[in-house]
């Protein structure tokens, strides 16, 4: 394999933002026709590095060599001229235009529409990407949109294709399809830089992988020679602590009853919710799977009370009380905790101090305020309790939330809610963008909470997380919620099918 | 290119020394400008900075001049902290004066001491109403409050003009656009210091103004309401998550800032003029915007920034009168002072860094 010539080489590439060193002297190379993985945790410096390869950022130091020649990639335009294409995590397609129009917009060369259609059909046949050139982007699924993005890159005959976390928006089945496209592509001699933090994918699809940790290269390995455990160890730096097994919880009384929930889409980008029903028992964790954009944030708005209705919503009882018209703080007073997925500006305000972030969900407590005047001592004490109990690392006393790392801030906001011992807890993406250590900690805290009899709903796109936490899982697809099924009856394939909108036929095919 | 990074710690030395340096730089630049234009720079600077502070009665006049700026400015601070851009305080001030003036003129024979408090309440309502229109339009129709508040200023101004030229004109004003004088009980009295007597025009309104600034500071820093104001400015989504009602908070802030502007209008007329006329404000509603920002949106600091702006205004007038310096030149000088103060303020908070080889720091 090493007989292949080197396509691009990174020698001593560094990038600093102010005093923060995001990339420290990155050395590795990508061979022609190789699928090369770039593995690392959130914040390891993967995105910074590929942005430099694609000309979006300029390196502070170091050089790229392209076919052995020193090059400077000054802009994405220049990158494309070298033959570097990139598919971003967040797509850059116009929903109101057709496939062919979107591709036309991105091309430098002038094609006639007729020629372009022929080229698209030819290319898509070559790589098994089936897509109708005249269909509108808004009518495509996320997986299909990603294929259009790839197709758009392919028309420029790239020598290197960068894929930034491509599977984070895909169902397991769609991921498989993507992998087969990428393999065909690499056979034609195109190199692929595949960025991911998912070990199994890296192991499955790449020939070699470079592992980044804290902005430095840990190692470049032949993926066939290492186990996923070894990869994990290199990525995290130490043996990841395991999530504690769930104790067999006896299911208690029904705490939450939801039925007939309909929520119209309030803007063109929102997803409407249709006839959702769901019950949560004491001590039970219900996992809601699904790909982003299928109604997760809308469902969270309903659970937290940021959206309220008694017209299109039949039943929302918690502890037997109808809470359809309860505001978020009234719900908190009832013993309900909730936490939306976005830390920055939703569950926390990053340019406010931690005490103020504590006040965010405690401003109604008589312990914290009297006659509208804040009792600062008690507020500080509560904040310090959260910091101590949930082991939150702060650079100094009472810093702004922005100076905490993502994992620490998430631990803080989760701690802020569960220190109140809620009897019902709704949480979305509890470990999104959080390092492995904090992830384990957070999952353990949720399990502890359920063991104490709290009823929990976890909305997550991370199937691994749901398998670790949930007792029952249902899937949200285009605003509809599937029936909840016990974990034992489910496999990731089955959930994947539901995530892609297919019905499960209870006795079909077997295993 | 150069870039700014926030300082981790703001040292006490900088906080104290930078405003002093800013003023010194202003003096140096002013010195050159006045010299080039052929005015005696020493005298000009004396009139700007020393003369308004040279005697107790002149200092008292500064407070009188600053009074409406303090009241309006502190209300605007609350608004601006919440990212609500009410720039129509001038119109709200006028409506406050109109409402309270209407009351005073319809009870022109009364001796009741309750007239003045009633006028204060009326002026607050007048200003608040004038701010309520843009608030409701913003919430219901998502109009831009900057435009609506600004346009309503001209409506208010022309409305007052019509009143004093038409229905409210005094029969004894010899055709001038003036109303009758307010009854004595509708006037704000000067502060009487035992042993000294009155100090120039210093009136009780100044006392009220400072009190309002301190109250707003307390509300901003120590109460849940103040927290709500900061939240709505920083992150409306977090405000909803927290359980507050965004629309209610927005309306409350419009009412407070409009009402305070209205109160400032009433105090200005009742303390200094005693009747309504077409021009009752010298752009206080607009100047207060600068006052609010110069105070770094801190209600207590409005007291200082308001006095500073008053000093520049009074000093400018004094220089114009004494040395016949044209108004535009004093305007330039005021601009220089503000420029250095704001630049100094930025440098207190941020460090400047330079990078010579990079062009794309915008992408970072």
């Amino acid at each position: 394999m090493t007989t292949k010539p080197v396509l691009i080489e990174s020698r001593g590439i560094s990038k600093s933002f102010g005093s923060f060193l995001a990339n420290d002297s990155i050395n590795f190379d990508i061979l022609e026709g190789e699928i090369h993985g770039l593995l690392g945790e959130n914040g390891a410096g993967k995105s910074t590095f590929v942005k430099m390869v694609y000309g979006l950022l300029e390196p502070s130091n170091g050089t790229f060599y392209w076919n052995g020649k020193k090059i400077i990639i000054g802009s994405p335009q220049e990158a494309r001229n070298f033959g570097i294409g990139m598919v971003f995590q967040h797509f850059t397609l116009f929903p109101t235009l057709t496939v062919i129009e979107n591709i036309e917009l991105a091309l430098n060369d002038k094609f006639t529409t007729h020629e372009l259609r022929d080229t698209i059909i030819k290319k898509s046949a070559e790589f098994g990407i089936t897509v109708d050139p005249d269909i509108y982007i808004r009518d495509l699924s996320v997986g299909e949109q990603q294929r259009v993005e790839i197709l758009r890159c392919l028309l420029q005959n790239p020598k290197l294709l960068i894929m930034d976390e491509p599977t984070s928006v895909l169902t397991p089945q769609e991921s498989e399809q993507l992998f087969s496209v990428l393999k065909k592509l690499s056979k034609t001699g195109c190199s692929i830089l595949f960025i991911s933090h998912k070990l199994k994918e890296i192991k499955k699809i790449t020939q070699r992988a470079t592992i980044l940790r804290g902005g430095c290269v840990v190692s470049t390995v032949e993926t066939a020679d290492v186990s996923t455990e070894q990869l994990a160890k290199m990525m995290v730096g130490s043996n990841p602590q395991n999530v504690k097994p769930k104790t067999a919880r006896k299911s208690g009384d029904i705490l939450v009853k939801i039925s007939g929930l309909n929520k119209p889409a309030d803007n063109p980008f929102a997803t409407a919710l249709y006839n959702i029903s769901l019950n949560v028992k004491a001590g039970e964790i219900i996992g809601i799977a699904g790909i982003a954009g299928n109604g997760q944030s809308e469902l969270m708005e309903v659970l937290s009370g940021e959206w309220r209705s008694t017209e299109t919503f039949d039943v929302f009882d918690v502890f037997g009380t109808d809470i359809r018209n309860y505001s978020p703080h009234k719900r908190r007073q009832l013993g309900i905790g909730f936490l939306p997925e976005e830390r920055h500006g939703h569950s926390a305000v990053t340019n406010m101090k931690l005490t103020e972030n504590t006040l965010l969900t405690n401003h109604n407590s008589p312990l914290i305020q009297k006659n509208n005047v804040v009792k600062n001592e008690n507020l500080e004490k509560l904040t310090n309790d959260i910091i101590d109990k949930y082991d939150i690392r702060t650079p100094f006393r009472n810093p702004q939330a922005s100076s905490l790392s993502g994992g620490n801030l998430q631990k803080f906001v989760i701690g802020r809610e569960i220190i109140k011992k809620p009897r019902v807890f709704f949480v979305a993406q509890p470990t999104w963008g959080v390092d492995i250590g904090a992830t384990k900690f957070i999952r353990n805290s949720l399990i502890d909470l359920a063991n104490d009899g709290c009823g929990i709903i976890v909305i997550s796109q991370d199937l691994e997380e749901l398998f670790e936490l949930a007792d029952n899982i249902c899937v949200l697809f285009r605003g509809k919620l599937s029936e909840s099924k016990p974990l034992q009856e489910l496999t990731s394939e089955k959930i994947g099918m539901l995530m892609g909108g297919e019905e499960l036929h209870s006795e079909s095919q077997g295993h | 290119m150069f870039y700014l990074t926030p300082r981790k710690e703001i040292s006490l030395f900088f906080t104290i020394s930078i405003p002093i340096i800013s003023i010194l730089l202003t003096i140096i630049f002013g010195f050159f400008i006045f010299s080039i234009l052929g005015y005696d720079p020493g005298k000009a600077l004396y009139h700007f900075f020393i003369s308004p502070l040279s005697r107790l009665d002149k200092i008292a006049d500064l407070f009188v001049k600053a009074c409406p700026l303090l009241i309006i400015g502190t209300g605007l601070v609350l608004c601006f902290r919440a990212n609500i851009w009410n720039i129509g305080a001038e119109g709200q001030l006028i409506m406050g004066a109109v409402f309270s003036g209407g009351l005073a003129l319809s009870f022109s024979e009364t001796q009741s001491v309750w007239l003045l408090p009633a006028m204060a309440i009326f002026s607050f309502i007048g200003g608040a109403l004038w701010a309520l229109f843009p608030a409701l339009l913003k919430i219901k129709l998502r109009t831009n409050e900057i435009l609506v508040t600004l346009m309503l200023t001209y409506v208010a101004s022309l409305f007052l003009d019509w009143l004093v030229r038409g229905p409210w004109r005094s029969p004894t004003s010899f055709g001038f656009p003036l109303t009758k004088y307010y009854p004595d009980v509708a006037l704000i009295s000067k502060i009487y210091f035992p042993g000294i007597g009155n100090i120039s025009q210093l009136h009780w309104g100044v006392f009220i103004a400072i009190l309002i600034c301190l109250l707003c500071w307390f509300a901003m820093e120590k109460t849940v309401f103040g927290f709500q104001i900061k939240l709505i400015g920083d992150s409306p989504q977090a405000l909803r998550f927290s359980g507050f009602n965004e629309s209610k908070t927005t309306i409350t802030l419009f009412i407070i800032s409009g009402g305070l502007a209205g109160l400032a209008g009433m105090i200005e007329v009742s303390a200094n003029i005693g009747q309504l006329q077409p021009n009752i404000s010298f752009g206080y509603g607009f100047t207060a915007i600068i006052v609010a920002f110069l105070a770094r949106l801190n209600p207590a600091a409005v007291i200082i920034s308001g006095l500073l702006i008053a000093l520049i205004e009074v000093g400018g007038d004094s220089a114009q009168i004494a040395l016949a310096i044209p108004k535009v030149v004093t305007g330039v000088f005021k601009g220089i002072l503000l420029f250095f103060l704001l630049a100094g303020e930025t440098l207190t908070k941020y460090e400047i860094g330079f990078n010579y080889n990079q062009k794309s720091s915008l992408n970072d």
Side-chain angles (χ1 to χ4, degrees), chain A residues 178-244:
Chain A
L178 170 71
F179 293 158
S180 81
V181 170
L182 293 183
K183 277 181 180 152
K184 273 184 199 154
L185 190 58
S186 81
K187 287 217 177 77
T188 66
C190 177
S191 309
I192 294 161
L193 183 58
F194 186 90
I195 296 141
S196 182
H197 64 271
K198 295 182 187 164
L199 304 165
K200 281 180 193 151
E201 285 174 14
I202 292 282
K203 184 111 176 68
K204 187 166 190 177
I205 182 166
T206 66
Q207 280 107 48
R208 293 193 305 157
T210 297
I211 297 105
L212 289 186
R213 187 172 76 226
C216 303
V217 172
V218 179
S219 173
T220 298
V221 296
E222 305 269 337
T223 33
D225 301 345
V226 289
S227 65
T228 44
E229 285 75 24
Q230 283 170 310
L231 282 175
K233 208 169 166 181
M234 285 189 269
M235 184 166 92
V236 186
S238 59
N239 268 327
Q241 168 205 2
N242 281 321
V243 171
K244 62 172 83 170

Side-chain angles (χ1 to χ4, degrees), chain B residues 72 88-102 122-128 130 150-164 168 182 258-266 268-269 276-286:
Chain B
I72 304 170
E90 184 79 2
Q92 292 141 19
L93 178 151
I94 291 169
M95 289 315 281
V98 166
F99 267 57
S100 57
F122 261 60
S123 67
F124 191 92
I125 293 173
W130 216 238
L150 185 62
M151 291 193 293
L152 282 176
T153 295
Y154 299 111
V155 177
S157 171
L158 291 169
F159 181 58
L160 172 67
D161 211 68
W162 172 73
L163 282 177
V164 296
W168 287 7
Y182 286 6
L260 285 178
L263 183 67
M266 172 256 169
E268 186 64 15
V269 175
L276 289 178
Q277 56 190 45
N279 295 312
I280 52 169
S281 162
F282 301 96
Y284 291 126
F286 296 115

Side-chain angles (χ1 to χ4, degrees), chain A residues 86-87 93 99-100 102-104 106-107 116-133 140 143-158 161 163 178 181-182 185:
Chain A
M86 180 157 173
V87 175
L93 300 168
V99 170
I100 195 164
N102 264 289
I103 292 176
E104 216 171 353
L107 290 180
L116 188 61
R117 177 172 288 115
D118 287 347
T119 324
I120 291 176
I121 292 170
K122 211 178 83 196
K123 278 278 179 195
S124 51
E126 193 180 332
F127 295 105
I129 304 172
T130 43
V131 82
D132 175 357
L140 296 177
E144 289 167 322
Q145 289 184 30
Q146 191 181 50
R147 270 171 255 159
V148 175
E149 290 260 359
I150 297 175
L151 195 60
R152 190 165 69 173
C153 285
L154 291 184
L155 286 182
Q156 300 174 0
N157 297 313
L161 183 64
M163 305 281 305
L178 170 71
V181 170
L182 293 183
L185 190 58

Side-chain angles (χ1 to χ4, degrees), chain A residues 187-432:
Chain A
K187 287 217 177 77
T188 66
C190 177
S191 309
I192 294 161
L193 183 58
F194 186 90
I195 296 141
S196 182
H197 64 271
K198 295 182 187 164
L199 304 165
K200 281 180 193 151
E201 285 174 14
I202 292 282
K203 184 111 176 68
K204 187 166 190 177
I205 182 166
T206 66
Q207 280 107 48
R208 293 193 305 157
T210 297
I211 297 105
L212 289 186
R213 187 172 76 226
C216 303
V217 172
V218 179
S219 173
T220 298
V221 296
E222 305 269 337
T223 33
D225 301 345
V226 289
S227 65
T228 44
E229 285 75 24
Q230 283 170 310
L231 282 175
K233 208 169 166 181
M234 285 189 269
M235 184 166 92
V236 186
S238 59
N239 268 327
Q241 168 205 2
N242 281 321
V243 171
K244 62 172 83 170
K246 280 174 286 187
T247 51
R249 291 188 291 270
K250 55 175 195 323
S251 51
D253 307 331
I254 292 181
L255 297 182
V256 181
K257 242 185 215 167
I258 293 173
S259 78
L261 160 60
N262 294 284
K263 177 181 185 298
D266 44 20
N267 69 59
F269 303 102
T271 308
L273 300 176
Y274 302 101
N275 200 18
I276 286 178
S277 299
L278 186 65
N279 289 339
V280 187
K281 294 184 190 127
E284 180 183 39
I285 300 183
I286 294 212
I288 296 183
I291 299 161
N294 275 293
Q296 283 90 341
S297 43
E298 287 80 2
L299 181 59
M300 197 63 216
E301 278 176 44
V302 174
L303 296 177
S304 69
E306 286 168 61
W307 179 88
R308 302 189 281 275
S309 165
T310 49
E311 282 159 24
T312 60
F313 191 0
D314 297 338
V315 181
F316 191 1
D317 289 351
V318 176
F319 318 130
T321 313
D322 178 6
I323 63 160
R324 285 178 299 171
N325 250 335
Y326 275 35
S327 72
H329 69 237
K330 243 176 144 185
R331 291 181 192 207
R332 283 190 199 102
Q333 283 172 328
L334 206 60
I336 305 173
F338 39 85
L339 200 62
E341 81 172 81
E342 179 61 53
R343 288 187 285 280
H344 304 286
H346 197 176
S347 65
V349 184
T350 37
N351 59 359
M352 282 190 172
K353 298 202 157 105
L354 285 187
T355 43
E356 290 173 299
N357 274 294
T358 309
L359 189 58
L360 197 62
T361 61
N362 288 292
H363 57 83
N364 250 52
S365 141
L367 199 69
I368 297 299
Q369 61 111 348
K370 192 182 174 188
N371 299 331
N372 221 1
V373 178
V374 178
K375 294 179 178 173
N376 268 322
E377 271 171 41
N378 291 355
L379 182 61
E380 264 171 46
K381 189 178 169 301
L382 177 59
T383 309
N384 288 334
D385 286 351
I386 297 168
I387 290 172
D388 292 342
K389 190 164 179 198
Y390 299 100
D391 186 28
I392 289 144
R393 313 279 159 81
T394 58
F396 45 90
R397 232 182 111 260
N398 199 17
Q400 289 200 332
S402 57
S403 65
L404 264 59
S405 71
N408 272 310
L409 183 56
Q410 184 70 10
K411 282 201 301 195
F412 178 80
V413 290
I414 290 218
R416 181 184 69 191
E417 302 313 316
I418 65 184
I419 202 168
K420 291 192 269 186
K421 301 215 178 311
R423 288 164 63 207
V424 163
F425 190 47
F426 308 130
V427 58
Q429 299 286 41
T431 60
W432 174 76

Side-chain angles (χ1 to χ4, degrees), chain B residues 59 73 112 130 196 218 222 233 245 248 288-289 336 348 355 361:
Chain B
I59 294 176
S112 167
W130 216 238
I196 307 176
F218 181 82
K222 303 285 175 193
N245 184 325
K248 245 191 228 165
I289 298 173
I336 293 174
T348 322
N355 51 350
S361 51

